[in-house]
Amino acid sequence: MSENNSNTEKTASVSILRKRWKKFKTIKRGYYSFLLILFLYILSFLLPLFIGRDALIVKYNGEYSFPIFKYYSAESFGQELQGEANYRLLKKQYQEEDKGNWVLLPLYPFGPNENLLDEMGGNPPHPPSAQHWCGTDDRGRDVFARLAHGFNIGLSFSIIVTLLTYVIGIAIGAILGFYGGKIDIFGLRLIEIWGTLPFLFVIIIISSIIQPNFLLLIFILTLFGWIGIVYYIRGEFYREKARDYVSAAVSMGAKNSKIIFSHILPNSLTPVISFAPFAIVANIFSLVSLDFLGFGLPPPTPSWGQLMQQGLSNIDNWWLIVTPLVAMFFTLLTIVFIGEAIREAFDPKIYSRLR
Amino acid sequence: MTSYFIRRFLLIIPTFFGITLITFLILQIVPGGPLEMEIMKIRMGGNKGGTESGSGGNSTQNIPQSAVEELTKFYGFDKPIQERYVIWVTNLLKLDLGKSYVYAEPVSDVIVSRFPVSIYFGLIGFILTYLICVPLGVYKAVKNGSTFDFISSALVFIGYAIPGFAFGALMLVLLGGGSFFDVFPLGGFRSSDFESLSFFGKIADQINHTILPVVSYLIGSFATLTILTKNSVIENLSQDYIRTAFSKGLSEKRVIFGHALRNSLIPISTGLGHAISLVLAGSVLIEKVFNINGIGLLSFDSIVQRDYPVVMGILVISTLLLLVGNIISDIIYALVDPRIRFK
């Protein structure tokens, strides 16, 4: 009986998701933004294949090596350099020698943390050129490579923070909303205190003591990010709790955990899900702001905020501000479009047009 | 309902002390506090002084124990932490926020000196947002689905996808005389020769320094308020009482402005409660970009320089404003919407 019951419920919930997915697909702007960002994000995990300093394949004296996976010294390829091989120079060298050796470089053969001063000469930052699409920064590093790697880092960062804050926020919101009473009153006070703490203050204080890394920053942002979701979920639980289907579940003797997870939760997720893309945008904002203020990811991590900070202190070098801004702008805009489409797809109300 | 709001006001007390206690603890416990910074400064300074006077010849440059003790006493670190908090709270109740370590002035003076800048930008931003977003939202709702609606939505979302400070930085590059046009000054609240300008020169100078920061402040807040207004109006337009009004034969204008608009403005009016926070308005990021000496930059600097009395002072004022603002918002909500009953 109960199995049968949960089966019908599951099919029902799948079909409503499918309906929403169908509606989402009809909102072209959001749907294509979603495909685009998904494609770029997956691609960005393979970035070293496209943008990076290490050659993909080197053929030297009849032997193939794959420097992208392994460190090779310059000598091992017959290059007269100290330390690691420089594959761009190696390619030129092989072409001049014409002995059947060759190097397959990534499409854009510059790494994000690679100092190019030796090869380029002059004073950094260099303006954009055919070779360096977005110029170099004040340490002679290629801006385009840094932007591309920064995309992966920034988006990963904010997706992880969003997921973690959602899990924590939903759990706490569900407990407060479901049990209510004293737990709710006491919990809300604590949350109000926690939520009013100026979190930028705390991050700056912590960052000025310990050099934050990726994980620590995720931890701190998660610590302060879950509060908004609690209020949403708590409100939804309060509303859903009073519905007939919950009373029915209670009278059938369902356990609290069962009621929370399989009855109320699926019905109360709508507002927070449609809010998720905007949360991702907000978290990218936070990371960029912290990097801009110099309290974000440790150098030499490629970051958009840090580039903009450089740009602001060298206001003549416009590309240091314009390029990260354009990158950020397109990323955030596509996510905002997705968010708008999700919100529309999840919204059961069909607004009647005036007359 | 009066008792509800009295209870809300009383609840400010535990929340307020909770917040100050947590921040106080964090500030006092973390290493690298003002004491360590001062000792380090003396060490570096002592190094210099030592070579100049040629006295001592002690290369380790240890500070005498008595001086360290004196400093510890000066910063109050000789007492246990709970006692320090109690002292701080007692002084607070006497409306004494202490003295800034950096500026050597009372904290309240330091903070109040930044009020004019905050109020200036805060008020202009606040008024402009409401003045532009509400009519725009209403118009977009009425013309829902039109080309104008589509284009303005796109523009608003584009604005939402640019952080204000980044936009400000871009504007400085484009218009601040860096690489392209030299239309606006590079930053600051006023020109350095402001006092010597004529009356109209002063006005022109002030406006010239105002436009870019204000636009940066506005660009992000546009989206939220415009879309909120639009959705609220649309939702009301689909209600039964609007159909009734139409079927009575009222004109479209009458229905929108006489019936729909009044109800639609309810959710928008609740934001007004936080207008009291305008005295402390100011974003660190935008102030840093435009080099404006406002509250944002003050709080940022005081954290970096470990000027803890100022940090706590700003926290006290902003927390109180926020908590009271929350309640005022709810009161406004109850006043404009008789259906709302708090209990």
Side-chain angles (χ1 to χ4, degrees), chain A residues 196 208 308 316 325 332 336 340, chain B residues 144 157 161 166 178-179 306 322:
Chain A
T196 323
S208 58
M308 290 172 66
D316 297 330
L325 191 74
L332 297 183
V336 168
E340 197 200 11
Chain B
N144 187 21
F157 276 117
S179 323
R306 303 302 156 88
L322 183 74

Side-chain angles (χ1 to χ4, degrees), chain A residues 38-208:
Chain A
L38 193 69
F39 174 71
L40 287 178
Y41 185 56
I42 293 172
L43 205 66
S44 73
F45 281 97
L46 308 170
L47 260 186
L49 291 178
F50 308 101
I51 301 172
R53 55 160 293 174
D54 293 332
L56 306 177
I57 309 170
V58 176
K59 190 190 174 199
Y60 179 61
N61 292 343
E63 269 182 53
Y64 292 93
S65 2
F66 302 91
I68 191 160
F69 299 118
K70 210 180 145 201
Y71 172 92
Y72 288 97
S73 68
E75 293 158 9
S76 54
F77 292 126
Q79 193 175 29
E80 285 166 13
L81 276 175
Q82 295 287 322
E84 193 173 2
N86 181 327
Y87 299 101
R88 287 184 303 272
L89 298 181
L90 193 67
K91 186 173 184 175
K92 270 186 211 156
Q93 186 186 329
Y94 285 176
Q95 273 166 359
E96 280 160 20
E97 289 172 357
D98 201 19
K99 284 186 204 155
N101 297 329
W102 50 263
V103 177
L104 180 64
L105 289 173
L107 284 175
Y108 192 84
F110 303 99
N113 294 328
E114 188 187 12
N115 187 325
L116 300 166
L117 283 181
D118 295 340
E119 277 167 67
M120 296 185 71
N123 285 327
H126 303 83
S129 59
Q131 213 180 6
H132 300 278
W133 297 348
C134 300
T136 70
D137 70 359
D138 63 359
R139 266 153 240 161
R141 296 173 298 199
D142 188 89
V143 171
F144 183 71
R146 289 185 74 73
L147 286 179
H149 284 261
F151 170 77
N152 179 274
I153 292 171
L155 202 55
S156 305
F157 179 88
S158 98
I159 288 174
I160 295 174
V161 171
T162 309
L163 281 179
L164 288 177
T165 49
Y166 265 58
V167 170
I168 297 175
I170 288 173
I172 294 180
I175 291 171
L176 294 187
F178 185 76
Y179 291 103
K182 274 186 187 137
I183 298 180
D184 186 39
I185 293 174
F186 189 67
L188 264 195
R189 287 285 83 67
L190 286 184
I191 289 172
E192 197 175 29
I193 292 175
W194 198 241
T196 323
L197 273 183
F199 97 104
L200 198 67
F201 266 44
V202 181
I203 290 182
I204 292 172
I205 292 168
I206 297 176
S207 307
S208 58

Side-chain angles (χ1 to χ4, degrees), chain A residues 223-240:
Chain A
L223 217 54
F224 290 93
W226 50 268
I227 289 152
I229 298 144
V230 168
Y231 287 116
Y232 275 109
I233 291 286
R234 177 180 163 271
E236 286 291 312
F237 262 71
Y238 258 104
R239 228 184 46 206
E240 294 294 322

